[in-house]
């Protein structure tokens, strides 16, 4: 159902007339899926809710088609009718959920008249609209598609077939594997933007997708929960592919036809393309920081060692002192990037973006301790300091006369700086992974639960808690306001001022954007209630990072 911060428009499930949206006037109230298929009409969630007298109406819906809508009065009615026809042709009981994202042209009324259940989401953004629709949907299968008539909802059967057959958890409608009609996609999007972004996503996250930014997809309700979606803006299209890979869903692609849109496009090629690229890079610290850093560090170190005896003739040029300085800077910069990558990876995991780790991050997190980091930093710093001491001794032995020891001095400086970076970076990494007390799990942790934690957080005795008492409900997302970014284009759905749909380490996200009971993931136990109370406290900063700030 819709959470407390959202309201629904159109006829409510409790008050709607029987089969008003589905158009089956005179049909039996207890009609089965087969009856609906024979009648040739799909029943919406509004209709089933009014006629159900044996169990939850949501259990009787097969499919929920979710469409975001922002001033689409010209096309949303057509899309709703096509979706209802597609549900009927597929022989399934379903509903159409239109999420009105602040339309001012009467789109909500048009959608309601066409047979949709309208959900209002005041927080602008492509992702916000879809997350609201998914939370309000009743079907076992969720289908997403735009309301601008670019996707052919009349052919829902092909999209749903792998889900209904149990072969897949997630189905992507690929425009590039199907047909793109003339005028449907600009040349820049078709031959540059989409292929480039899809290729980058495939490379960074080890997926195989032919159309990572298609707007037509289908997945099971369970798959939706496992993906733990949270992006509020256009980045949701990328997040869906990444999250499906992270959740190890069974994925299939089916070809679809892409039609010219009705009305003006709300996309901004460069800005929206950059937002997708930015999102992917920030979720891939290994490629953004660590691997380039290791290359620079190796190049800088090798160059310094090669020039340590003197100048080096490479045939077309003689490398001398200036290159020693350059290699020293490159080595220091490279190691700084490696440290930033490790910190970024820890932040992403703590904030809930738990992407699969690969070398060298796996080795770093498995072997890191503060003491090892301090030892490594201390060794580097000591070696550099020893080289400086040798240089000083030579200078004193020469009666403080002329000194030509710049190359070893540069090497000593590099080693001392690298050692200091490693030591202080180890302190910071310990702080963000284990906390000051050191009682939490390395490389990401979740708060503990249980009577002791509840008692520590509330001041009550553990024995006073009743086993039958339900856990306290999580606060609705709207309780965590986030300021809007200046300069955002509301009409394009770029601004996402609302909170993230799924918080990070505070608890396990639920489909309606809240947080379920938090779970302890590490083997360690807390020795006192003070630690437990510290863990039980929410982390609003890590868990509430809006997509537009990533």
């Amino acid at each position: 159902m819709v959470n407390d911060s959202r309201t629904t428009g159109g006829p409510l499930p409790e008050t709607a007339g029987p089969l008003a949206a589905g158009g089956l006037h005179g049909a039996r109230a207890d009609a089965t899926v087969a009856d609906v298929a024979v009648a040739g009409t799909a029943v919406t969630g509004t209709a089933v809710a009014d006629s159900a007298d044996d169990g939850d109406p949501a259990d009787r819906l097969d499919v929920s088609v979710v469409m975001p809508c922002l001033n689409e009065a010209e096309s949303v009615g057509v899309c709703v009718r096509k979706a209802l026809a597609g549900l009927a042709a597929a022989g399934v009981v379903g509903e159409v959920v239109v999420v009105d994202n602040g339309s001012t042209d009467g789109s909500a009324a048009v959608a309601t008249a066409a047979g949709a259940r309208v959900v209002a989401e005041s927080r602008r953004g492509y992702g916000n609209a879809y997350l609201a629709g998914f939370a309000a949907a009743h079907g076992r299968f969720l289908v997403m598609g735009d309301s601008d008539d670019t996707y052919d909802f009349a052919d829902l059967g092909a999209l749903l077939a792998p889900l209904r057959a149990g072969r897949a958890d997630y189905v992507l409608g690929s425009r590039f594997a199907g047909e793109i009609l003339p005028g449907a996609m600009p040349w820049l999007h078709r031959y540059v933007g989409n292929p480039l972004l899809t290729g980058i996503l495939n490379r960074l996250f080890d997926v195989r997708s032919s159309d990572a930014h298609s707007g037509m997809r289908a997945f099971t309700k369970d798959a939706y929960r496992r993906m733990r979606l949270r992006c509020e803006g256009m980045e949701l299209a990328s997040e869906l592919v990444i999250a499906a890979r992270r959740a190890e869903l069974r994925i299939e692609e089916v070809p679809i036809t892409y039609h010219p849109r009705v009305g003006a496009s709300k996309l901004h090629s460069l800005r929206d393309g950059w937002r997708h690229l930015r999102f992917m890079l920030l979720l891939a610290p290994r490629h953004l920081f660590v691997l380039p850093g290791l290359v620079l560090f190796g190049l800088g170190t090798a160059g310094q060692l090669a020039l340590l005896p003197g100048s080096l003739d490479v045939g077309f040029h003689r490398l001398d002192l200036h290159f020693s300085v350059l290699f020293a800077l490159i080595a220091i910069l490279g190691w700084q990037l490696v440290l930033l990558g490790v910190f970024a990876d820890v932040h992403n995991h703590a904030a809930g973006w738990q992407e699969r780790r690969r070398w060298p991050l796996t080795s770093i997190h498995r072997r890191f301790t503060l003491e090892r980091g301090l030892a490594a930093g201390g060794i580097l710093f000591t070696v550099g300091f020893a080289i400086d001491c040798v240089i000083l001794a030579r200078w004193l032995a020469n009666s403080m006369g002329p000194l030509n020891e710049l190359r070893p001095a540069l090497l000593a400086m590099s080693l001392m700086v690298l050692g200091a970076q490693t030591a202080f970076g180890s302190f910071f990494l310990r702080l963000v992974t284990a906390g000051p007390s050191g009682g939490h799990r390395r490389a990401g942790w979740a708060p503990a639960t249980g009577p002791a934690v509840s008692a520590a957080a509330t001041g009550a005795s553990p024995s006073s808690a009743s086993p039958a008492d339900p856990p306290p409900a999580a606060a609705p997302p709207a309780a965590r306001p986030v300021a809007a970014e200046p300069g955002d284009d509301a009409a394009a759905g770029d601004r996402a001022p609302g909170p993230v749909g799924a918080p990070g380490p505070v608890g396990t996200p639920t489909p309606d954007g809240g947080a379920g009971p938090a779970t302890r993931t590490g083997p360690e136990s807390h020795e006192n209630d003070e630690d437990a109370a510290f863990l039980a406290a929410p982390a609003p900063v890590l868990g509430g990072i809006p997509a537009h700030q990533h």
Side-chain angles (χ1 to χ4, degrees), residues 130-461:
Y130 267 123
L131 292 177
F134 295 152
H138 298 320
R140 295 186 300 118
F141 304 133
L142 304 178
V143 176
M144 55 182 288
D146 297 341
S147 56
D148 56 8
D149 204 23
T150 51
Y151 297 101
D152 192 356
F153 291 101
D155 192 24
L156 287 176
L159 199 68
L160 293 170
L163 300 180
R164 299 175 69 188
R167 299 194 312 268
D169 307 304
Y170 173 100
V171 180
L172 172 70
S174 174
R175 299 166 295 181
F176 290 91
E179 182 180 6
I180 301 175
L181 297 181
M185 186 180 295
W187 183 91
L188 182 65
H189 294 186
R190 182 169 185 174
Y191 297 104
V192 180
N194 276 297
L196 181 62
L197 290 175
T198 297
I200 292 174
L201 188 147
N202 288 341
R203 180 67 183 88
L204 293 183
F205 300 98
D206 194 25
V207 298
R208 297 293 178 267
S209 176
S210 65
D211 189 5
H213 300 93
S214 168
M216 192 171 196
R217 318 178 194 215
F219 35 85
T220 66
K221 198 67 165 289
D222 178 66
Y224 165 66
R225 295 189 183 100
R226 290 165 59 189
M227 285 190 288
R228 300 172 62 181
L229 304 174
R230 63 176 64 190
C231 279
E232 301 172 341
M234 295 297 299
E235 298 88 347
L236 183 74
S238 297
E239 187 193 11
L240 277 161
V241 181
I242 299 170
R245 173 67 176 84
R246 176 186 62 207
E248 298 182 349
L249 302 180
R250 296 171 299 164
I251 302 172
E252 282 196 22
E253 291 190 1
V254 297
I256 61 172
T257 302
Y258 192 59
H259 299 260
R261 65 165 290 128
V262 175
S265 174
K266 299 179 179 64
L267 292 176
H268 294 77
S269 301
L270 295 179
R271 185 194 65 186
D272 291 334
W274 163 243
R275 289 183 61 178
H276 283 289
L277 179 61
R278 176 186 68 182
F279 174 75
M280 290 186 287
L281 290 176
L282 290 177
L283 276 190
R286 176 177 179 265
H287 289 83
L288 179 62
F289 297 110
V290 179
L291 295 182
L294 288 175
V295 171
L296 291 177
F297 175 73
L299 178 62
T301 302
Q304 278 193 278
L305 294 176
L307 292 176
L308 187 60
S311 61
L312 180 64
D313 191 353
V314 293
F316 63 91
H317 191 73
R318 180 176 292 275
L319 305 182
D320 209 336
L321 192 58
H322 292 86
F323 281 90
S324 293
V325 176
L326 176 62
F327 285 132
L329 294 176
I330 289 176
I332 294 172
L333 173 61
W335 191 242
Q336 183 64 51
L337 289 178
V338 172
L339 293 177
L340 286 174
V342 175
F343 301 152
D345 177 70
V346 171
H347 167 270
N348 286 350
H349 277 248
W353 304 98
Q354 297 182 1
E355 303 307 320
R356 183 171 64 91
R357 285 185 172 127
R358 288 181 284 177
W359 184 91
L361 290 171
T362 49
S363 299
I364 292 173
H365 287 296
R366 184 171 60 251
R367 295 184 172 90
F368 169 78
T369 65
L370 174 60
E371 290 72 22
R372 289 175 180 173
L374 291 177
I379 291 172
L380 290 172
F381 189 90
T382 301
V383 171
F385 185 75
I387 295 174
D388 268 345
C389 288
V390 172
I391 295 173
L392 177 61
R394 290 180 179 176
W395 183 54
L396 293 176
N398 195 29
S399 301
M400 294 184 289
L403 183 66
N404 187 21
E405 300 285 352
L406 191 53
R407 290 186 181 87
L410 284 172
L411 179 61
M413 177 205 69
S414 299
L415 291 173
M416 294 173 69
V417 172
L418 293 173
Q421 283 181 320
T422 303
F424 287 108
S426 297
F427 272 113
F428 184 75
L429 185 57
R430 167 60 176 250
L431 181 65
V432 297
T433 58
S437 69
H440 320 315
R441 182 179 180 179
R442 294 198 303 271
W445 54 272
T449 56
V453 175
S454 301
T458 61
S461 170

Side-chain angles (χ1 to χ4, degrees), residues 6-7 67-72 98-105 107-108 118-133 147 232-233 266 489-497:
R6 298 162 181 160
T7 58
M67 304 180 192
C69 178
L70 176 60
N71 294 327
E72 307 282 2
V98 172
V99 185
D100 182 29
N101 206 203
S103 300
T104 57
D105 64 347
S107 295
V118 177
V119 174
E121 173 53 79
S122 59
R123 295 172 299 182
R124 289 289 179 87
Y126 179 84
N128 277 329
Y130 267 123
L131 292 177
S147 56
E232 301 172 341
K266 299 179 179 64
D489 185 356
D494 180 69
R495 183 164 57 89

